[in-house]
Structure formats: structure tokens, C-alpha cells
């Protein structure tokens, strides 16, 4: 009884494969539309919200060797403890650290400087692995902060010369070719209409492309059920580029995030998202 | 203790559209960790929904359900302000109960 059925299934798959090759372009657009539907449905109840909740708790509670909360000590650029709208206005320049920082880097800075955590401990495992049940605390904190910029416009303060300088560096990095394949970010993300397998590659130097590159981060990845930040995305692209992965919370990653987020200025941020 | 659920219950006519996000690892007992050891099964087995003190759904959940799952229910005859209580129990005997009001 079983054998014929399996054979039948194999035949079906083979002929589907051929059909797919012939109409790859059409199928690609269709798959994209299907995923958009799925995302619209899921955004209504995005598991990312669970991490917003966890992050809120972590933000408010007194923690670390100094036993202070981030809510009473951490300035994300709009005043101590103020999270509303902070995410879409970062990266920005912070005088107390004398550096331009993206949201994740700033929260790490607060955890170290204000709460007394050790950077090395946070950097040991900054992103959720496929086998981890939960993301690290920093990811939940970033997700909480990002959730408080939902439906607000990206407004990276590019008029600030310090931010503009980092933006220029970010732009330079996207053009920098090196490594075994002589890749730069722009090899994959520097022109319109490129894709790898079924994944569209946003052209991050344009406004539209940058919007695609920043929207939905931090995001809940359906594959494996993991919560990941924009910093993770950068690290993973360096891996795809066959570069060494940057040090956690590095200048390089902030520069790239400054470049892309500022290019997306004016677009409405939809909040923590869903990724495939 | 288990993390809270996030419950949303919105009324459309006399039908309550209930959506619940559950924070749970939902380990199916077949996965291996980085060291090659089997990750023990840990998953929700039963789930109940009560509206206004009345049980309206009793469900059995198994290992085929994803980590941090989302469940949706439509319940007829609900009124604004009705209390929705959702409970689950997993194979380790852990439980969690959260509530929300129909809005």
C-alpha cells in the first residue's frame, strides 16, 4: 500500500520543480505576496511582544552590582528613563560616552556604566542561538525599547555633525570590498532587484531599500523561533560576506546602522517585526 | 515561574475574538543541544479558556506546536467586560493562568 503513494509524491515534486524553474520570477513575486499576508496575520500577535514584556520588566527592576534600574539611570537621548520615541531617534551622539550609539549599544553602555555589569559578560553571548530557549536579556531590552517607537517616524539626527561623520563612515564600509570573495555589502545590497534564493536583497543606499533593511528589526524569526536584533543582522551579514564577525557593540556596526537608519528617515517604524 | 501570556479579546458583534500569545519553550524531546545531548521534552499539554467564569474551551496541546505559540479562538455570546481566563499546564506540571477583559 505504501510504496505507490510515495512514488506518486515523488513524481509530483519533480514536476513541480520543473514548473518552478520556468516561472521562477512569477513564483517569486507570489511567494513574496504570500509571505506579506502571513506577516500581516502574525503581526497581530507577534511573539516579539513576549520579549517586549520581558524587556519592560528588566528595564524597571533594580539590577546589577550597583542595584539600580535602567528606568532610573539610563538616558536613551530623550532624558533619563524616557523610552517613548527613543528607538527611531537612534543612532545619535551621546556626550557622556563621547560616541554615536545605536539603541543596543547604548543599552549595553547603560548596563555597564550605570548598573555595573561587565561588558565581557554581556558580550559572551549577545545573540540568541538556534538551540537557546530564550534570547539574552539585552535582546529583550532592545525589543522593549523598540516597541515604544511603534508607528513613529525614523528621525536619526543627521544634522548633528558627529552623527553625519559616522553616517559617512557607514557609507564607506558598505563599499569596502575585501575577504576571500572580494565582497562588500554593496555586492549584495548595492543595486535594485537582487536576490539570493528566495530572499530579496534591499538596496540599502536608497531610501526605499534602507526602509526594508531597518523595518521589522528587532525581529522574531519564525525559523527556530528566535528573537534577534538589528545588530545580529549585521553580524550575520558579515558572516555571509566571509568577513570576520565584528566585535559585539562595535563602532563598525553602529556606523552601518547609522547609515541605513538615517537613509530610512521619514518612514514610519512598525515596531518589532516578524522575519522568516 | 513561567512567563506571562499576552491575551487580547476583542468583541465583534457578540463574538469575542480571543488571541493569546504563550511564552513556552515547547520542546518536543527530539532535539539535540550543541553538545549532542537530547533536550528533554517540555511542552504544554492542556489549555483551558473561561469567559465570565464559564469554561468555553478545553484543549489538548502536543509537541507539534511551535515555541512561543499563538492561539486564536472565536467565542459566541460574549459581552464587553467579560473576564477571560486562560490556563495551561505542561508535562512538568508547571502551570500558568492569566486574564484579560473582553473589550
Amino acid at each position: 500500500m505504501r510504496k505507490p503513494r510515495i512514488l506518486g509524491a515523488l513524481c509530483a515534486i519533480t514536476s513541480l520543480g520543473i514548473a518552478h524553474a520556468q516561472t521562477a520570477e512569477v513564483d517569486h513575486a507570489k511567494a513574496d505576496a504570500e509571505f506579506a499576508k502571513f506577516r500581516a496575520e502574525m503581526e497581530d500577535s507577534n511573539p516579539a511582544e513576549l520579549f517586549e514584556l520581558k524587556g519592560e520588566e528588566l528595564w524597571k527592576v533594580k539590577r546589577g552590582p550597583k542595584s539600580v534600574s535602567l528606568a532610573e539611570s539610563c538616558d536613551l537621548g530623550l532624558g533619563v528613563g524616557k523610552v517613548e520615541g527613543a528607538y527611531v531617534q537612534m543612532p545619535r551622539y551621546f556626550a557622556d560616552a563621547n560616541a554615536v550609539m545605536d539603541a543596543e549599544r547604548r543599552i549595553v553602555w547603560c548596563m555597564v556604566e550605570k548598573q555595573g555589569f561587565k561588558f565581557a559578560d554581556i558580550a559572551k553571548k549577545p545573540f540568541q542561538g538556534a538551540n537557546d530557549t530564550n534570547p539574552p536579556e539585552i535582546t529583550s531590552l532592545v525589543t522593549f525599547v523598540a516597541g515604544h517607537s511603534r508607528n513613529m517616524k525614523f528621525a536619526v539626527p543627521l544634522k548633528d555633525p558627529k552623527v553625519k561623520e559616522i553616517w559617512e563612515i557607514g557609507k564607506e564600509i558598505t563599499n569596502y570590498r575585501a575577504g576571500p570573495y572580494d565582497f562588500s555589502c554593496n555586492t549584495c545590497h548595492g543595486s535594485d532587484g537582487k536576490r539570493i534564493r528566495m530572499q530579496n536583497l534591499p538596496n540599502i543606499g536608497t531610501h526605499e531599500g534602507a526602509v526594508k533593511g531597518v523595518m521589522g528589526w528587532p525581529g522574531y524569526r519564525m525559523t527556530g523561533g528566535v528573537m534577534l536584533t538589528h545588530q545580529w543582522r549585521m553580524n550575520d551579514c558579515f558572516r555571509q560576506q566571509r568577513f570576520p564577525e565584528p566585535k559585539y557593540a562595535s563602532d563598525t556596526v553602529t556606523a552601518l546602522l547609522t547609515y541605513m537608519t538615517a537613509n530610512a528617515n521619514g518612514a514610519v517604524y512598525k515596531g518589532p517585526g516578524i522575519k522568516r | 515561574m513561567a512567563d506571562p501570556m499576552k491575551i487580547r479579546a476583542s468583541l465583534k458583534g457578540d463574538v469575542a475574538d480571543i488571541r493569546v500569545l504563550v511564552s513556552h519553550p515547547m520542546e518536543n524531546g527530539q532535539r539535540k543541544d550543541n553538545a549532542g545531548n537530547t533536550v528533554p521534552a517540555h511542552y504544554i499539554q492542556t489549555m483551558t479558556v473561561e469567559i465570565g467564569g464559564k469554561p468555553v474551551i478545553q484543549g489538548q496541546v502536543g509537541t507539534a506546536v511551535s515555541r512561543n505559540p499563538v492561539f486564536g479562538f472565536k467565542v459566541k455570546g460574549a459581552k464587553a467586560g467579560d473576564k477571560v481566563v486562560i490556563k495551561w499546564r505542561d508535562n512538568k506540571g508547571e502551570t500558568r493562568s492569566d486574564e484579560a477583559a473582553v473589550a
Side-chain angles (χ1 to χ4, degrees), chain B:
Chain B
M1 201 183 63
D3 289 313
M5 288 175 251
K6 185 142 190 184
I7 305 170
R8 241 178 243 143
S10 55
L11 206 57
K12 288 183 188 110
D14 72 335
V15 178
D17 191 354
I18 302 171
R19 284 254 187 165
V20 56
L21 255 167
V22 185
S23 181
H24 201 283
M26 296 300 291
E27 282 295 348
N28 61 17
Q30 317 227 26
R31 248 163 35 90
K32 300 248 190 330
D33 66 15
N34 294 335
N37 303 313
T38 303
V39 182
H42 186 198
Y43 59 98
I44 295 173
Q45 288 183 311
T46 58
M47 194 159 187
T48 61
V49 182
E50 281 175 17
I51 298 191
K54 215 168 79 185
V56 289
I57 290 161
Q58 276 184 328
Q60 292 179 349
V61 180
T63 52
V65 173
S66 79
R67 181 187 288 172
N68 301 322
V70 178
F71 295 93
F73 315 101
K74 284 190 164 64
V75 180
K76 232 177 151 172
K79 294 184 302 298
D82 279 357
K83 192 160 87 172
V84 179
V85 182
I86 303 184
K87 294 181 185 156
W88 58 251
R89 183 185 186 84
D90 68 23
N91 67 321
K92 291 187 179 173
E94 282 175 32
T95 60
R96 173 88 211 180
S97 174
D98 289 284
E99 52 186 69
V102 177

Side-chain angles (χ1 to χ4, degrees), chain A residues 45-141:
Chain A
S45 310
N46 184 349
E49 286 182 40
L50 295 169
F51 305 104
E52 286 183 45
L53 280 178
K54 280 188 201 186
E56 179 167 14
E57 175 77 24
L58 290 165
W59 180 261
K60 288 179 174 162
V61 89
K62 290 186 196 296
R63 298 185 335 126
K66 296 188 187 165
S67 189
V68 290
S69 73
L70 291 169
E72 64 189 347
S73 67
C74 187
D75 185 347
L76 298 176
L78 304 176
V80 170
K82 203 163 177 301
V83 288
E84 223 65 44
Y87 190 80
V88 284
Q89 296 179 62
M90 283 188 273
R92 65 161 60 231
Y93 175 73
F94 291 91
D96 54 7
N98 188 24
V100 170
M101 296 174 152
D102 59 275
E104 182 156 358
R105 189 174 178 194
R106 180 62 181 177
I107 298 168
V108 168
W109 186 88
C110 287
M111 288 172 74
V112 172
E113 297 298 322
K114 307 291 177 185
Q115 295 184 303
F117 287 108
K118 290 212 170 61
F119 177 79
D121 291 340
I122 305 171
K124 217 177 280 162
K125 190 154 199 333
F127 306 119
Q128 183 173 6
N131 277 333
D132 306 333
T133 307
N134 278 304
E137 289 168 345
I138 179 65
T139 296
S140 295
L141 281 162

